[in-house]
Amino acid sequence: MKVAILSLPLHANYGGILQSYALTQIIKRRGCSVQLISRPFRYYYSFHNILASLKRTFTTFLKGDGFSFLPERKWNKGAELIEKNTKVFFNKYIPIDPRAITQIRSTDYDAIIVGSDQVWRPYYFKAHESDVRNAFLMFAKNWNIKRMAYAASFGTDVWEYSESMTKDIKKLAQKFDYISVREKSGVDLCDKYLGVNAVHALDPTLLLHKEDYLSLINNSGYAESKTKMLVYVLDKNEEKQIFIEQIAKSKGLSPLYVGCADDLSKAAEERIQPPVEEWLAGFRDAEFVITDSFHACVFSILFNKPFVVVANHKRGGARFISLLGQFNLMDHLLERTSDYDPLKDYNIPEETYQLLDKFRHESMSIIDDFLKE
């Protein structure tokens, strides 16, 4: 069977890259040919982006480094610089169909899988694609193919589509053979707004095992290093920084900061993401993890590392509640840094891995059923 996967564009986001990698691996292991339909990543002008650039320009001027509005000048040139290391990974490991959606023909694939990540969150999909309805396969609406959503995510438990858009995507969603969503709240959203029955499934990264990721690290030759506290924080602020420094001091660990692509206060040259394998090695070697990222929670679980996650509602709070609630780890979620309990070790109990085995089996069954000829 020839299978295509439609997800968000690959860029410098580790979770986005690794969920695409994991799902392509799972499909390939089932004897199918598979390609990712990868629309190019594009920076877009938003109020937040422009404000951050103006602030960066003003700070640079005050430091006496001259005046240079938008240090990247060409935003997408900056994006290429930021992703120069991560791009090596997805070009090496993820089979990509480089064509635009409009160039794909009905005979090219037997099946299309939409997912995972926040591919059904309008804000994220529309930022890089002219019509969010393509996330529901509008471009393939009359094709005689199998169609599935695997762990597609709305990111939030609030419906973010307009009334007219809801009407359109409802018709498209009802053409799907299988629909699974990544968050429990997504099951209810599908029922209420799309009139379809959806099931809850694991993020693709959780379908692979720790050993799968260790082999990627080992193939790249990253030597093991100890006594580190991994810090992967997407949205930095003073409160989080003080918290990180306090925990590092109390545990006697040196913070290892990985990834800063979204810190728009810095120029592109300062935001180049480390290689994906190096990011993974950070979890392998960590003695403690502090994050505000969904996928950093996932890899903390996979690598059995004690962790805390500071709630990041801007990027989708339902994701954390669903994941941590599913594995009985809600006490690892901090609404505020002051919720941290210094007397707790934040280790992951054995029960979590028993649940992971169960949910992994259920999720794999969804994919296997879909891929049956």
Side-chain angles (χ1 to χ4, degrees):
M1 183 183 290
K2 295 182 293 184
V3 180
I5 297 171
L6 176 66
S7 192
L8 296 175
L10 300 177
H11 173 43
N13 180 285
Y14 296 109
I17 294 168
L18 287 165
Q19 63 88 21
S20 291
Y21 167 77
L23 192 52
T24 56
Q25 286 292 306
I26 293 298
I27 302 302
K28 283 171 65 177
R29 291 176 187 182
R30 269 134 190 82
C32 299
S33 67
V34 59
Q35 283 190 304
L36 185 75
I37 299 173
S38 180
R39 294 154 294 116
F41 179 88
R42 291 289 181 267
Y43 265 121
Y44 57 98
Y45 285 95
S46 69
F47 176 77
H48 174 66
N49 288 351
I50 293 171
L51 188 65
S53 292
L54 286 171
K55 182 179 178 182
R56 182 171 65 233
T57 298
F58 184 65
T59 303
T60 302
F61 179 73
L62 288 180
K63 287 164 66 176
D65 294 334
F67 181 85
S68 177
F69 179 62
L70 298 177
E72 295 96 313
R73 292 195 179 276
K74 294 182 179 179
W75 288 64
N76 294 308
K77 205 70 175 173
E80 291 175 13
L81 186 61
I82 291 165
E83 70 177 25
K84 73 173 190 176
N85 292 325
T86 54
K87 194 171 185 178
V88 172
F89 181 89
F90 57 74
N91 282 342
K92 181 178 181 180
Y93 290 110
I94 303 175
I96 295 173
D97 186 333
R99 296 174 297 173
I101 284 176
T102 53
Q103 295 176 310
I104 297 170
R105 298 292 174 254
S106 60
T107 55
D108 291 339
Y109 296 105
D110 302 308
I112 300 179
I113 299 175
V114 177
S116 175
D117 223 347
Q118 297 186 68
V119 68
W120 279 357
R121 192 170 191 187
Y123 174 79
Y124 285 119
F125 194 91
K126 200 170 183 179
H128 311 294
E129 165 62 43
S130 59
D131 199 326
V132 69
R133 289 173 294 183
N134 280 331
F136 292 84
L137 303 185
M138 181 182 71
F139 67 94
K141 65 179 179 180
N142 295 320
W143 296 0
N144 182 26
I145 58 168
K146 298 183 74 172
R147 53 195 80 207
M148 175 192 193
Y150 180 77
S153 173
F154 296 101
T156 175
D157 56 3
V158 177
W159 190 249
E160 296 183 330
Y161 289 89
S162 67
E163 187 176 340
S164 61
M165 187 64 74
T166 299
K167 185 178 178 181
D168 288 343
I169 65 172
K170 182 176 182 178
K171 293 177 183 177
L172 293 167
Q174 292 176 354
K175 289 177 174 286
F176 278 62
D177 300 286
Y178 289 80
I179 291 181
S180 64
V181 289
R182 195 176 66 183
E183 285 80 45
K184 218 170 184 179
S185 58
V187 174
D188 297 329
L189 292 176
C190 284
D191 177 54
K192 182 176 180 180
Y193 294 100
L194 302 180
V196 295
N197 293 321
V199 295
H200 189 196
L202 288 179
D203 185 89
T205 51
L206 285 162
L207 298 180
L208 296 183
H209 293 73
K210 173 183 174 181
E211 290 70 26
D212 293 303
Y213 299 109
L214 285 174
S215 67
L216 290 172
I217 300 168
N218 295 336
N219 289 342
S220 297
Y222 284 99
E224 196 164 349
S225 174
K226 289 294 184 184
T227 68
K228 287 181 179 176
M229 183 178 79
L230 184 68
V231 179
Y232 184 57
V233 173
L234 299 174
D235 296 307
K236 299 176 176 64
N237 59 35
E238 186 178 0
E239 178 191 349
K240 290 178 186 176
Q241 186 57 39
I242 292 171
F243 175 65
I244 291 163
E245 291 170 1
Q246 288 175 340
I247 302 305
K249 184 178 180 180
S250 68
K251 292 183 174 295
L253 299 173
S254 57
L256 172 65
Y257 295 87
V258 291
C260 58
D262 293 336
D263 186 356
L264 294 176
S265 66
K266 296 180 179 179
E269 292 79 5
E270 300 175 81
R271 291 189 277 138
I272 298 172
Q273 293 286 75
V276 173
E277 297 91 341
E278 184 177 331
W279 187 80
L280 288 170
F283 289 92
R284 178 197 64 185
D285 301 340
E287 294 190 15
F288 194 77
V289 178
I290 296 179
T291 189
D292 63 355
S293 155
F294 172 85
H295 279 105
C297 295
V298 166
F299 282 93
S300 295
I301 294 169
L302 282 167
F303 281 88
N304 194 9
K305 302 296 180 176
F307 75 98
V308 292
V309 54
V310 181
N312 193 331
H313 294 289
K314 181 181 77 172
R315 294 177 184 260
R319 303 174 304 148
F320 299 102
I321 293 169
S322 182
L323 174 71
L324 300 178
Q326 188 175 16
F327 291 109
N328 296 331
L329 297 172
M330 282 298 292
D331 55 346
H332 291 247
L333 178 63
L334 311 179
E335 282 294 331
R336 297 165 297 277
T337 57
S338 58
D339 292 336
Y340 176 79
D341 183 355
L343 300 179
K344 181 176 170 57
D345 58 23
Y346 293 99
N347 284 319
I348 300 172
E350 182 58 35
E351 172 198 15
T352 294
Y353 298 99
Q354 295 169 1
L355 290 170
L356 177 56
D357 287 341
K358 173 179 177 289
F359 297 139
R360 189 180 272 149
H361 175 75
E362 292 172 356
S363 295
M364 293 294 288
S365 295
I366 295 169
I367 295 173
D368 288 337
D369 285 346
F370 174 71
L371 294 177
K372 287 179 182 176
E373 295 283 0

